[in-house]
Amino acid sequence: MGWPLRMFQEEGFYFVTSRCFQGRLLLRPSAEVNEVVGGVLARAVQQSAGNVRLHAFTFASNHFHLLVWARGAALAGFMQYLRANLSRKAGRLVDWSGGFWERRYSAEPVLDDEALVGRLRYVLAHGVKEGLVERSAEWPGLTCLPQLLGPARRVFQWFSWTKRWSKRGSEDLAAEEGRFAKEIAEPVELLVEPLPCWKRLGEEERQRAVRALVEAVESEARARDKPVLGARAVRAQHPHTRPEHLKHSPRPLGHASTRQALNELREQYRAFVAAFREAAARWMWGDFSAPFPPFSFPPRVVPGRVARIL
């Protein structure tokens, strides 16, 4: 496993963040990018076979956030599929062939209902809190807001490059634009599920709760009285642009409404790391019976008198 070690739960909620290489605007909103990103996200949820559920998302120009529920280590496979396909397909759209992501994604446990609502508010605040748009609904990138205020299901196009390869003799699909041709597009449905603490509410009540969060975000932004870039200017930015200044902050261990819950999570994580390190040390010396903590990934090794890391 990479560092920091990820501690997955038997099932739980996570706030996921992933940023583009050097903070470049490789996910800059456009109709084409939004459609491709939506299709990849919907396909990733579909491929998880119910082991990952999506509750909120927003795609900025250089990063994205997801609020998900996941079972066991299913989030690892989900994120591998999502990021790999985004890098290939969005990278093609913006003519970027190098590394697409800056570092490993972060997946922070969200421990209670109040923290879940807080993370949802953070997602809905995107674009407004940075001074990019005046209202959350004006953000030109892909966001869950329309699905939270309207139908929870939305259909995107998944461009099957496997199907394109099977039809490689076709002149229409041989060209570069054939990678996003309608002949290889498959409709996929993306469902945004309500937060568990809101499931007992009616649809109109949930929508009122979302509007209240959005209004609070927009009110705070107006109080700061700072100039706004605007959606048109956001769309006009070149996707290869590297921002002069990037926000760097330590990743939180998790999100909770009480200090006690965070302290308990910290103790669990320390025990997890200690158990993993002990098992990894035995594993590297050839003891392949060493028990690793649940939902962790042993190092890859070559058997021998002294095991060697690949």
Side-chain angles (χ1 to χ4, degrees):
M1 294 181 74
W3 184 260
L5 295 176
R6 289 202 183 96
M7 182 179 68
F8 294 114
Q9 305 163 355
E10 186 171 351
E11 61 176 59
F13 296 90
Y14 300 90
F15 184 69
V16 180
T17 301
S18 187
R19 188 163 70 184
C20 296
F21 176 67
Q22 295 179 337
R24 294 179 187 267
L25 311 182
L26 301 178
L27 293 171
R28 183 215 57 193
S30 70
E32 296 80 8
V33 168
N34 291 355
E35 187 66 34
V36 166
V37 169
V40 171
L41 179 60
R43 183 75 169 187
V45 174
Q46 184 184 80
Q47 292 289 99
S48 75
N51 289 311
V52 175
R53 295 200 294 260
L54 186 64
H55 293 281
F57 63 87
T58 188
F59 284 80
S61 296
N62 65 358
H63 68 280
F64 67 82
H65 297 297
L66 308 175
L67 183 58
V68 301
W69 171 92
R71 180 179 289 114
L75 184 60
F78 169 84
M79 288 301 297
Q80 181 183 31
Y81 186 93
L82 176 66
R83 299 208 320 161
N85 279 279
L86 284 177
S87 64
R88 285 193 291 267
K89 297 188 176 184
R92 282 283 180 179
L93 285 176
V94 299
D95 193 28
W96 183 262
S97 58
F100 199 89
W101 304 108
E102 181 165 277
R103 59 180 182 179
R104 300 169 74 227
Y105 67 90
S106 65
E108 302 142 12
V110 186
L111 304 180
D112 55 51
D113 291 344
E114 187 175 339
L116 279 171
V117 174
R119 289 297 89 194
L120 174 60
R121 185 185 190 277
Y122 186 89
V123 167
L124 297 175
H126 177 75
V128 175
K129 62 182 175 63
E130 295 88 356
L132 300 175
V133 291
E134 289 185 3
R135 300 174 60 248
S136 296
E138 294 174 358
W139 175 245
L142 194 65
T143 170
C144 61
L145 183 58
Q147 289 168 265
L148 295 177
L149 296 179
R153 299 179 185 273
R154 184 175 175 184
V155 176
F156 292 93
Q157 296 300 316
W158 161 257
F159 295 96
S160 174
W161 287 2
T162 301
K163 185 181 293 185
R164 176 178 181 266
W165 177 254
S166 68
K167 297 181 179 181
R168 58 190 179 278
S170 169
E171 293 183 3
D172 293 337
L173 298 181
E176 181 64 25
E177 55 268 22
R179 296 179 184 274
F180 303 101
K182 62 180 181 180
E183 289 83 0
I184 62 170
E186 302 173 1
V188 284
E189 190 176 74
L190 180 64
L191 171 64
V192 174
E193 302 202 23
L195 297 180
C197 55
W198 287 359
K199 276 195 172 182
R200 294 183 179 180
L201 301 179
E203 184 177 347
E204 291 185 0
E205 290 178 291
R206 290 198 298 267
Q207 291 177 359
R208 280 198 296 270
V210 170
R211 289 192 186 95
L213 293 177
V214 170
E215 288 170 2
V217 166
E218 294 173 353
S219 177
E220 289 180 5
R222 286 193 298 270
R224 290 194 291 268
D225 194 26
K226 292 184 177 180
V228 173
L229 183 62
R232 180 178 296 181
V234 169
R235 288 191 293 264
Q237 293 174 313
H238 195 283
H240 295 184
T241 301
R242 181 179 181 181
E244 293 183 6
H245 303 286
L246 283 175
K247 178 183 175 182
H248 291 283
S249 57
R251 295 176 176 178
L253 182 61
H255 303 275
S257 59
T258 66
R259 186 176 297 275
Q260 180 181 352
L262 287 175
N263 288 338
E264 291 174 357
L265 176 64
R266 187 171 291 107
E267 291 304 315
Q268 292 172 12
Y269 184 71
R270 286 172 178 166
F272 170 83
V273 171
F276 184 91
R277 285 177 171 170
E278 179 181 353
R282 291 170 56 185
W283 183 272
M284 291 171 64
W285 283 95
D287 181 3
F288 302 118
S289 65
F292 282 84
F295 313 120
S296 62
F297 301 93
R300 295 183 62 196
V301 298
V302 178
R305 181 175 298 178
V306 177
R308 294 179 289 110
I309 296 293
L310 280 176

